[in-house]
Amino acid sequence: MTEVLAVAVITVLAVIAPGADFAMVVRNSYLHGRRTGLLGALGVAAGVLVHVAYTMLGVGLLIASSTFLFTVIKLVGAAYLVYIGVRTFRTRGKVTVDLENRTGLTPFAALRTGFLTNVLNPKTTLFVVSTFAQVVSPGTPVLQQVGYGLFMSLAHLLWFGVVAVFFSHDRMRTLMLRGQKVLNKVIGSVLAGLGVSLAFAPSH
């Protein structure tokens, strides 16, 4: 599996798997409308870039300073992918969202909520670190790594933009919730399989 394909598959599946970002965008779209949901999605995408920036720096330092530590991080990352894969597979598809507190959100507040939800989310930290640890090698150009990071951010923006559109519309919201149950099984299986295969793949 090439680096680019690995990044693409892991990113798309991890983004779609329900978590704090998903619940926040669902809630804001449902209560405050499409624009608020879309601004939350934009905030989430901006938050991802923060994770990418410190991960690129940290992974780069690890590669340069300690092959052993980098290998350990890589194996931990693979184990994390298996873990979230199993958890996602076992999820029954029910999204727990707080639909109380209908106070309005300003555009800046909607953007800030999305940004902080993502930046403070340990799941995103682990996802970004895990992905970079699997695919980045001493020979991976910095510009290519930046491209990976931008792709991760764009994937979050597009997916949560779709979520905002669906959950601000009654009929679409019902359709998406039904589809999520099937998605969880597929996403969980593939993520767990990827984690296992990456753990046993030879290092670059």
Side-chain angles (χ1 to χ4, degrees):
M1 183 182 292
T2 65
E3 283 189 7
V4 175
L5 183 59
V7 171
V9 172
I10 294 171
T11 298
V12 170
L13 294 176
V15 170
I16 294 174
D21 295 333
F22 186 81
M24 180 276 301
V25 174
V26 167
R27 179 187 182 280
N28 287 352
S29 303
Y30 184 82
L31 292 181
H32 307 296
R34 186 165 299 174
R35 186 181 72 161
T36 300
L38 290 172
L39 285 169
L42 185 60
V44 167
V48 171
L49 293 177
V50 174
H51 293 289
V52 167
Y54 68 68
T55 299
M56 279 183 62
L57 190 63
V59 169
L61 288 172
L62 270 179
I63 290 173
S65 63
S66 173
T67 305
F68 172 74
L69 271 179
F70 177 68
T71 303
V72 170
I73 294 293
K74 181 174 180 175
L75 290 173
V76 169
Y80 174 69
L81 290 177
V82 174
Y83 169 72
I84 61 169
V86 172
R87 281 201 61 178
T88 303
F89 183 88
R90 295 178 64 184
T91 300
R92 296 184 179 179
K94 286 185 76 173
V95 180
T96 304
V97 182
D98 175 18
L99 295 178
E100 300 301 320
N101 187 16
R102 292 176 172 267
T103 54
L105 283 178
T106 64
F108 177 73
L111 191 66
R112 182 185 61 203
T113 300
F115 179 77
L116 290 177
T117 300
N118 184 270
V119 164
L120 300 175
N121 185 0
K123 178 189 170 189
T124 308
T125 301
L126 290 167
F127 150 64
V128 176
V129 171
S130 299
T131 305
F132 269 82
Q134 303 309 320
V135 300
V136 175
S137 69
T140 305
V142 173
L143 279 179
Q144 190 171 337
Q145 294 182 44
V146 171
Y148 292 156
L150 291 175
F151 173 76
M152 289 177 180
S153 179
L154 181 62
H156 279 77
L157 178 61
L158 292 176
W159 169 248
F160 290 113
V162 169
V163 171
V165 169
F166 269 69
F167 277 85
S168 57
H169 188 282
D170 287 342
R171 187 170 295 177
M172 289 183 174
R173 180 168 61 247
T174 303
L175 193 66
M176 191 171 190
L177 281 172
R178 284 178 185 164
Q180 191 69 51
K181 294 179 182 180
V182 178
L183 271 177
N184 286 345
K185 302 296 183 188
V186 176
I187 293 166
S189 301
V190 178
L191 277 177
L194 272 172
V196 171
S197 64
L198 289 169
F200 290 100
S203 298
H204 294 290

